[in-house]
Amino acid sequence: MIGKSTLIDLIVGTNRGLLANQQQQQAILAAIANLEDFNPTRNPLSASNLLEGNWRLLYTTSKALLKIDRFPFCKLGQIYQCIRVESNSVYNIAEIYGIPSLEGLVSVAAKFEPVSGRRVQVKFQRSIIGLQRLIGYTTPGNLIQQIELGKKFTAFDFLIQSEQQQGWLDITYIDDDLRIARGNEGSVFVLSKT
């Protein structure tokens, strides 16, 4: 069995997948599949104590996330997925860096509905894109608190109403500090609890 430490070692230096060559990608995906076979949590969605919290992205194959780093003068900072089980809410937050004092933020708020022991249906509801300083961004937790209080931000802050803005996510591995998920577009996500 390939363990978590092997997977983490393979991911180091790939900048969440941006810098991974084909050989590294294959080794990482093989390590992920091996770890998934030994998921210690049979029904991830019933383990709300494990699922709840702020998760930092370590690796992904999601082209939508990785292409954020391709914008001129922009570098992708940390990416978080914050799950609030009680309200069935998920918040995706990507920090963007580049020109000093023009640090940005891309955030999407969604609701999720469990449809099996490991799959959730996700419906995106709100998107916030803007400068961190104008939004008043300090931490993911602080931003989520403001969103939940209904704050309207000085940014591109809009509701997502299209039925096409939904998908599903399978949680294929979860323990105290590592989560692996697979999305409806074929993307893989490896996250660590912060």
Side-chain angles (χ1 to χ4, degrees):
M1 175 185 148
I2 295 177
K4 288 189 331 185
S5 60
T6 302
L7 175 60
I8 302 301
D9 288 346
L10 289 169
I11 289 171
V12 169
T14 66
N15 189 11
R16 287 158 296 211
L18 273 167
L19 304 176
N21 61 38
Q22 190 171 0
Q23 184 179 0
Q24 287 173 306
Q25 288 172 358
Q26 289 174 344
I28 291 167
L29 292 175
I32 287 170
N34 190 288
L35 205 53
E36 288 170 327
D37 288 342
F38 296 95
N39 184 4
T41 311
R42 190 170 287 279
N43 292 309
L45 294 175
S46 64
S48 57
N49 61 316
L50 297 178
L51 198 54
E52 175 80 24
N54 298 341
W55 295 84
R56 184 173 55 89
L57 184 70
L58 300 177
Y59 180 84
T60 188
T61 58
S62 169
K63 293 186 183 357
L65 280 177
L66 296 177
K67 75 178 181 182
I68 294 173
D69 200 63
R70 306 267 190 257
F71 289 110
F73 309 112
C74 292
K75 285 287 170 220
L76 192 54
Q78 297 297 336
I79 299 174
Y80 298 95
Q81 185 173 72
C82 306
I83 299 173
R84 303 298 182 258
V85 174
E86 191 173 305
S87 62
N88 284 3
S89 299
V90 61
Y91 302 91
N92 295 326
I93 301 168
E95 299 172 348
I96 312 296
Y97 295 95
I99 299 171
S101 77
L102 294 180
E103 295 83 9
L105 184 80
V106 177
S107 177
V108 178
K111 290 289 186 183
F112 67 87
E113 178 184 345
V115 293
S116 75
R118 69 180 211 168
R119 179 171 287 186
V120 292
Q121 190 71 32
V122 180
K123 184 170 185 197
F124 300 101
Q125 296 188 315
R126 183 176 175 189
S127 185
I128 300 164
I129 303 168
L131 296 176
Q132 291 181 24
R133 62 184 170 80
L134 294 180
I135 293 170
Y137 177 77
T138 54
T139 65
N142 177 266
L143 178 69
I144 292 166
Q145 185 177 32
Q146 292 179 63
I147 291 171
E148 289 176 343
L149 291 172
K151 180 176 180 179
K152 183 82 171 138
F153 295 94
T154 305
F156 293 108
D157 183 351
F158 55 93
L159 297 177
I160 300 171
Q161 299 185 355
S162 170
E163 287 300 316
Q164 294 176 346
Q165 293 300 317
Q166 57 184 338
W168 54 261
L169 190 71
D170 281 341
I171 300 166
T172 57
Y173 180 96
I174 190 168
D175 64 20
D176 290 333
D177 59 4
L178 188 76
R179 180 165 55 94
I180 299 172
R182 294 181 180 265
N184 58 291
E185 294 182 349
S187 298
V188 176
F189 305 89
V190 178
L191 305 103
S192 68
K193 203 167 220 179
T194 60

